C-alpha cells in the first residue's frame, strides 16, 4: 500500500485530474472487495471512505467467516451453499487473517436443534458448503460434549454437534483486501465523504462531490460508473440520488461483550441457544471470551451504535442460561462493540428472521447500489457487481476488461503458500524476526498476524529498538506499519481497528494510549487542536466499549 501519509495530497491531485472507470463509495469489506476485483481486471478504480476503512459494520461483526448454519432452518439453501463454499476461498487467500475454529453446538432437551435434525442439518451443511473431509461434522455424546467444554449446562444435555467455522479479524481482513487492491493499481482514501452526486446533461450520474474531512476541502471525482457500497448508509446515498424507491434497508443492531478468561474460562467456541429461542456465539480469543450477538431493530444514526444496559444484560442472561456455573456480572465486562446489519427490509419479520442475502439495485441515473450481504460472501458479491460494471462500461465506452480472478488471489499478507504452507512459512520467516532482534515469541506473533508482510514489520521493529521508553519495538512496528502502509490517521484507527487492542486488550490501551497519541502527533505534526480532538475521540471509543449507553435503554 502507498507509503507515507503525505501521499494524501498527491492522491487528491490525481483524483481531481482524471476520469476513472469506477468510483466505489464505502471502505467496508463490500467496497474493498469491489475495488480489488475491479483493479485486478484492469479497471481504473477509486474508493472513498468517510470514516476510517472498516469503521462501519466491517469492524463490528461476530468476526466469523461462516456459512450461517442457522439459515438452513429458514431454508436459505442457496445462500448457505454459496457462502459456505466461500469460507474456504477466504481462508486460502488469507490464512493470516482467517483461522479454522471447531464450533460446538450443544443439544439440549427442547432446544433449537434436535439431535437427529442437527445430524442431518450438519450433513447438509457439509454437503452444501463442500466441506473437506478433515473438517466434516462429528456428532458427540453427552460425555464427549462435556469433555470438550465442561462449562456447558448439564441439565437436559443430550449431546452435541462439532463442526468447523472460521474465525477472522473483520477489520484486518478489510484492510488486507484493500491493500491488495491498491497494490493492483486502485486508489483508496479514507476520511473523505461523498456529499453529492454529479450528473451529465441527461441526468446520468458521472461523478461525486467529496469533502476531505481532515482538511475540509471539497472537490469532484469523475467516473464512468459509481457504486454505492455504503452498507447501512446505502439508503442515505440513494436519497441524495433521489432513487430511494422500492426495496429499502432495515437496520438491526448487534452487540458483543468481552470478558476475561479468568472469569469466563471457555476453552471451546460454542454456538448456543438462548432462553428466547435465538442463537448466540461464545468464542475464546487472546485470553478473553467474547459473546454475542443481540439482534434488535435500529433506527438511529448508524455511525454511533453502542451497547445499552439492556443489550449487556441480555447477553449476560444468555451466558447464565447456558453456562450456569460461570459467575459473570456487569462489572466483569471489560469491553464491548456494537454494529448495525444492513439488511433488506422484509415486512412482518423479526430481526433474526430477516434474510442476510445481498441484492444489486440500479437507479434511473445508473447509480449501482449493493445492499445486504455478509462479510463471508464479500468476494462473490464483488464479482457480481464488477461483472455488471464491466458490461455498463463496455456499453458506455467500448472498453473491455479481464474476467474475475480473485478466487485464487492471495490478499495482502496472504502470500504464504495457502493454508497448507502457512505453518512452514511462519517457521521460516520467524528467523528473520529473530535476526532483527525480536524474541521468537514476538516474531511469531507478528508472522501470524501479518503473514507475508511480516518482514516489513521486522525491519520497522529493528529500527525501533532502544528508540522509545514506553512503546516496545513490536508495538512501535505495528503503529508505524499502520501509519505508513495502512493509512491509519488517528489513535483510534490504530488501537481499535488495525490492532484490535481496544477490544481484546483494553488494559494495554490504557497503559500506552498517551504514548501512542504523542508518537502520532509528532509523526503527523498535529496542531494542539487536532491532537485534542483525536484524544477526545479515543476516550469516547474507550467509554463506548466499556460503559453502557444509558440513553439506549429507552429506545430499545
Ligand atoms: C453484529 C453483527 C455481526 C455480524 N457477524 C458476521 C459474521 O460473523 N460473519 C459475516 O460474514 N458477517 C457478519 N455480519 C455482517 C457483516 O459484518 C456485514 O455484512 C458487512 O460488514 C457489511 O460490510 P459493508 O462494507 O457492506 O458495510 P460497512 O462495513 O458498514 O461499510 C460501509 C462504509 O461506507 C462508508 N460510508 C457511508 N456513507 C459514506 C459516504 N457518504 N461517503 C463515503 N463513505 C461512506 C461508511 O463509513 C462505512 O465504512 C455481522 C454484522 C453485524 C452487525
Amino acid at each position: 500500500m502507498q507509503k507515507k501519509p503525505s501521499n494524501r495530497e498527491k492522491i487528491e491531485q490525481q483524483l481531481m485530474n482524471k476520469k476513472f472507470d469506477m468510483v466505489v463509495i464505502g471502505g467496508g469489506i463490500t467496497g474493498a472487495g469491489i475495488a480489488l476485483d475491479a483493479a485486478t481486471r484492469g479497471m481504473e478504480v477509486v474508493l472513498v471512505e468517510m470514516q476510517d476503512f472498516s469503521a462501519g459494520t466491517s469492524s463490528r461483526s461476530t468476526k466469523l467467516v461462516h456459512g450461517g448454519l442457522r439459515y438452513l432452518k429458514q431454508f436459505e439453501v442457496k445462500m448457505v451453499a454459496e457462502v459456505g463454499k466461500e469460507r474456504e476461498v477466504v481462508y486460502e487467500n488469507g490464512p493470516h487473517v482467517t483461522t479454522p475454529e471447531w464450533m460446538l453446538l450443544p443439544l439440549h432437551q427442547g432446544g433449537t436443534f434436535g439431535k437427529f435434525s442437527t445430524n442431518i442439518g450438519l450433513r447438509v451443511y457439509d454437503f452444501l458448503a463442500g466441506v473437506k473431509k478433515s473438517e466434516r461434522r462429528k456428532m458427540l455424546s453427552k460425555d464427549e460434549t462435556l469433555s470438550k467444554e465442561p462449562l456447558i449446562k448439564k441439565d437436559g444435555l443430550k449431546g452435541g454437534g462439532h463442526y468447523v467455522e472460521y474465525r477472522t479479524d473483520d477489520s484486518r481482513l478489510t484492510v488486507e483486501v484493500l491493500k491488495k487492491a491498491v497494490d493492483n493499481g486502485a486508489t483508496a482514501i479514507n476520511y473523505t465523504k461523498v456529499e453529492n452526486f454529479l450528473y451529465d446533461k441527461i441526468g446520468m450520474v458521472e461523478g461525486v462531490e467529496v469533502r476531505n474531512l481532515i482538511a475540509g476541502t471539497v472537490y469532484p471525482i469523475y467516473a464512468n460508473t459509481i457504486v454505492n457500497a455504503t452498507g447501512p448508509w446505502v439508503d442515505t446515498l440513494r436519497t441524495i440520488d433521489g432513487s430511494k424507491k422500492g426495496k429499502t434497508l432495515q437496520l438491526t443492531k448487534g452487540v458483543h461483550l468481552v470478558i476475561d478468561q479468568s472469569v469466563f474460562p471457555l476453552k471451546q467456541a460454542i454456538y448456543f441457544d438462548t432462553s428466547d429461542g435465538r442463537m448466540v456465539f461464545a468464542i475464546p480469543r487472546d485470553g478473553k471470551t467474547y459473546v454475542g450477538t443481540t439482534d434488535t431493530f435500529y433506527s438511529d444514526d448508524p455511525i454511533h451504535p453502542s451497547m445499552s444496559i439492556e443489550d449487556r444484560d441480555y447477553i449476560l442472561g444468555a451466558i447464565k442460561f447456558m453456562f450456569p456455573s460461570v459467575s459473570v456480572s456487569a462489572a466483569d465486562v471489560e469491553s464491548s462493540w456494537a454494529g448495525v446489519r444492513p439488511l433488506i427490509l422484509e415486512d412482518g419479520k423479526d430481526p433474526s428472521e430477516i434474510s442476510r442475502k445481498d441484492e444489486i439495485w440500479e437507479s434511473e441515473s445508473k447509480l449501482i447500489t449493493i445492499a445486504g450481504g455478509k462479510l463471508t460472501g464479500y468476494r462473490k458479491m464483488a464479482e457480481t457487481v464488477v461483472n455488471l460494471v464491466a458490461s455498463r462500461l463496455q456499453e458506455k465506452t467500448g472498453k473491455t476488461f479481464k474476467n474475475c480472478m480473485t478466487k485464487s488471489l492471495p490478499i495482502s499478507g496472504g502470500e504464504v503458500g495457502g493454508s497448507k504452507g502457512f505453518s512452514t512459512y511462519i517457521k521460516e520467516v520467524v528467523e528473520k524476526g529473530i535476526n532483527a532482534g525480536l524474541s521468537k515469541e514476538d516474531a511469531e506473533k507478528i508472522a501470524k498476524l501479518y503473514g507475508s508482510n511480516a518482514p516489513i514489520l521486522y525491519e520497522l521493529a529493528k529500527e525501533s529498538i532502544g528508540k522509545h521508553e514506553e512503546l516496545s519495538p513490536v508495538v512501535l512496528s505495528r503503529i508505524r506499519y499502520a501509519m505508513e502502509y495502512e493509512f491509519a490517521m488517528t489513535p483510534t484507527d490504530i488501537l481499535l481497528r488495525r490492532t484490535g487492542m481496544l477490544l481484546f486488550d483494553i488494559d494495554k490501551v490504557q497503559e500506552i494510549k498517551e504514548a501512542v497519541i504523542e508518537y502520532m502527533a509528532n509523526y503527523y505534526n498535529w496542531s494542539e487542536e487536532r491532537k485534542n480532538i483525536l484524544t477526545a475521540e479515543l476516550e469516547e471509543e474507550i467509554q463506548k466499549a466499556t460503559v453502557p449507553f444509558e440513553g439506549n435503554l429507552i429506545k430499545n
Side-chain angles (χ1 to χ4, degrees):
M1 199 159 194
Q2 297 106 320
K3 235 180 145 212
K4 301 284 179 211
S6 53
N7 274 355
R8 279 182 78 87
E9 283 96 66
K10 261 202 222 149
I11 290 170
E12 287 187 328
Q13 281 308 320
Q14 287 165 12
L15 297 185
M16 285 176 225
N17 291 319
K18 177 164 167 180
K19 185 161 188 179
F20 288 85
D21 290 317
M22 178 184 356
V23 169
V24 182
I25 314 167
I29 190 66
T30 308
I34 293 169
L36 174 58
D37 190 310
T40 50
R41 292 198 206 193
M43 290 180 194
E44 289 197 288
V45 53
V46 53
L47 180 147
V48 288
E49 164 56 54
M50 69 175 176
Q51 310 180 74
D52 180 26
F53 301 123
S54 84
T57 307
S58 298
S59 54
R60 300 156 181 273
S61 75
T62 306
K63 308 185 191 300
L64 288 175
V65 172
H66 68 136
L69 178 64
R70 78 179 176 83
Y71 307 126
L72 265 189
K73 276 183 37 178
Q74 285 146 248
F75 300 104
E76 302 236 26
V77 174
K78 187 165 171 271
M79 190 189 80
V80 172
E82 195 162 288
V83 179
K85 285 195 186 103
E86 275 299 300
R87 300 180 314 168
E88 185 73 14
V89 177
V90 177
Y91 176 41
E92 284 302 324
N93 289 336
H96 61 307
V97 279
T98 311
T99 317
E101 177 92 43
W102 280 92
M103 191 69 69
L104 177 61
L105 184 74
L107 305 169
H108 285 89
Q109 206 76 47
T112 305
F113 288 98
K115 205 165 179 177
F116 178 71
S117 61
T118 302
N119 195 357
I120 303 282
L122 285 174
R123 194 177 290 202
V124 172
Y125 188 63
D126 281 348
F127 172 73
L128 289 175
V131 174
K132 56 185 163 207
K133 227 174 177 177
S134 60
E135 294 186 353
R136 290 202 187 135
R137 63 93 184 78
K138 295 174 182 66
M139 295 307 292
L140 307 178
S141 68
K142 178 179 171 178
D143 286 349
E144 284 167 332
T145 305
L146 284 172
S147 77
K148 292 259 175 259
E149 185 45 75
L151 295 174
I152 288 172
K153 177 170 68 173
K154 294 175 189 69
D155 207 17
L157 182 66
K158 294 191 294 186
H162 208 212
Y163 68 106
V164 169
E165 295 284 22
Y166 293 80
R167 195 162 48 106
T168 190
D169 179 329
D170 46 7
S171 184
R172 288 216 56 79
L173 173 68
T174 304
V175 168
E176 299 292 31
V177 171
L178 197 57
K179 279 155 69 185
K180 188 69 177 186
V182 171
D183 286 347
N184 279 278
T187 306
I189 191 156
N190 53 3
Y191 297 102
T192 299
K193 180 177 183 178
V194 170
E195 293 191 327
N196 270 311
F197 290 106
L198 304 166
Y199 299 93
D200 65 13
K201 284 191 208 103
I202 53 164
M204 299 295 122
V205 67
E206 63 167 1
V208 290
E209 187 174 76
V210 298
R211 183 180 294 273
N212 172 334
L213 295 178
I214 298 175
T217 46
V218 176
Y219 59 94
I221 307 174
Y222 288 92
N224 281 314
T225 50
I226 315 284
V227 174
N228 172 14
T230 55
W233 289 266
V234 294
D235 280 346
T236 311
L237 274 291
R238 289 165 82 213
T239 304
I240 299 174
D241 179 51
S243 59
K244 193 183 152 195
K245 297 173 196 150
K247 290 190 180 178
T248 55
L249 280 196
Q250 167 72 68
L251 304 185
T252 76
K253 183 174 76 161
V255 168
H256 293 82
L257 306 186
V258 181
I259 295 154
D260 196 77
Q261 278 270 332
S262 60
V263 180
F264 189 178
L266 191 78
K267 53 180 190 162
Q268 157 74 54
I270 312 276
Y271 190 31
F272 66 95
D273 283 314
T274 56
S275 57
D276 60 343
R278 291 189 54 250
M279 298 213 55
V280 163
F281 289 99
I283 299 172
R285 174 176 167 162
D286 300 340
K288 312 285 169 191
T289 297
Y290 73 93
V291 190
T293 168
T294 57
D295 202 347
T296 48
F297 287 126
Y298 185 80
S299 53
D300 285 352
D301 187 344
I303 213 156
H304 293 305
S306 56
M307 169 180 71
S308 68
I309 292 175
E310 213 174 51
D311 297 327
R312 183 195 62 194
D313 291 350
Y314 175 87
I315 298 175
L316 290 177
I319 297 172
K320 230 180 207 91
F321 178 72
M322 188 49 65
F323 308 96
S325 63
V326 176
S327 168
V328 183
S329 71
D332 298 313
V333 177
E334 281 194 357
S335 186
S336 70
W337 69 89
V340 284
R341 302 175 185 82
L343 308 178
I344 299 166
L345 177 68
E346 292 178 54
D347 271 335
K349 286 203 173 172
D350 280 343
S352 296
E353 289 171 353
I354 301 176
S355 168
R356 269 57 176 163
K357 63 179 181 279
D358 54 279
E359 285 185 25
I360 297 173
W361 304 327
E362 201 172 5
S363 75
E364 280 166 19
S365 70
K366 299 288 177 227
L367 173 68
I368 295 169
T369 292
I370 169 87
K374 289 183 69 67
L375 196 71
T376 313
Y378 85 87
R379 193 199 64 83
K380 218 44 200 141
M381 265 160 60
E383 182 178 346
T384 316
V385 171
V386 180
N387 282 344
L388 175 66
V389 169
S391 70
R392 292 290 173 266
L393 284 171
Q394 190 172 11
E395 283 159 23
K396 201 166 169 179
T397 65
K399 280 198 214 173
T400 54
F401 299 94
K402 288 179 239 169
N403 290 332
C404 175
M405 59 176 73
T406 53
K407 193 166 179 186
S408 51
L409 182 76
I411 58 175
S412 183
E415 305 276 356
V416 295
S419 63
K420 285 201 185 80
F422 191 36
S423 52
T424 313
Y425 174 81
I426 291 174
K427 273 193 207 119
E428 284 166 8
V429 81
V430 157
E431 287 304 314
K432 287 191 188 161
I434 296 170
N435 291 339
L438 297 183
S439 68
K440 184 168 181 247
E441 199 191 0
D442 282 342
E444 236 170 48
K445 183 179 166 190
I446 294 286
K448 283 184 183 160
L449 285 169
Y450 293 90
S452 51
N453 291 320
I456 305 175
L457 282 106
Y458 294 154
E459 279 309 304
L460 294 174
K462 190 173 165 186
E463 287 169 21
S464 310
I465 292 172
K467 293 270 170 64
H468 207 285
E469 273 179 23
E470 287 149 276
L471 301 170
S472 71
V474 169
V475 171
L476 214 46
S477 70
R478 297 187 74 187
I479 294 171
R480 282 189 56 193
Y481 185 72
M483 289 193 294
E484 294 177 17
Y485 294 84
E486 298 187 326
F487 262 131
M489 302 299 295
T490 76
T492 309
D493 296 349
I494 293 182
L495 294 171
L496 178 58
R497 287 175 286 273
R498 298 302 180 279
T499 65
M501 273 188 217
L502 207 147
L503 302 180
F504 296 104
D505 201 356
I506 191 106
D507 290 345
K508 184 82 183 167
V509 170
Q510 298 288 14
E511 186 192 313
I512 65 169
K513 64 184 179 190
E514 273 154 34
V516 173
I517 293 166
E518 276 309 318
Y519 190 86
M520 292 188 79
N522 269 332
Y523 183 88
Y524 282 123
N525 206 10
W526 288 337
S527 66
E528 208 50 35
E529 190 195 357
R530 178 142 175 86
K531 190 169 143 188
N532 289 340
I533 291 172
L534 297 180
T535 304
E537 181 192 89
L538 177 64
E539 288 302 336
E540 199 188 319
E541 285 299 337
I542 295 174
Q543 280 275 317
K544 259 203 303 197
T546 51
V547 184
F549 177 50
E550 302 268 350
N552 271 359
L553 252 187
I554 307 152
K555 289 171 195 141
N556 266 347

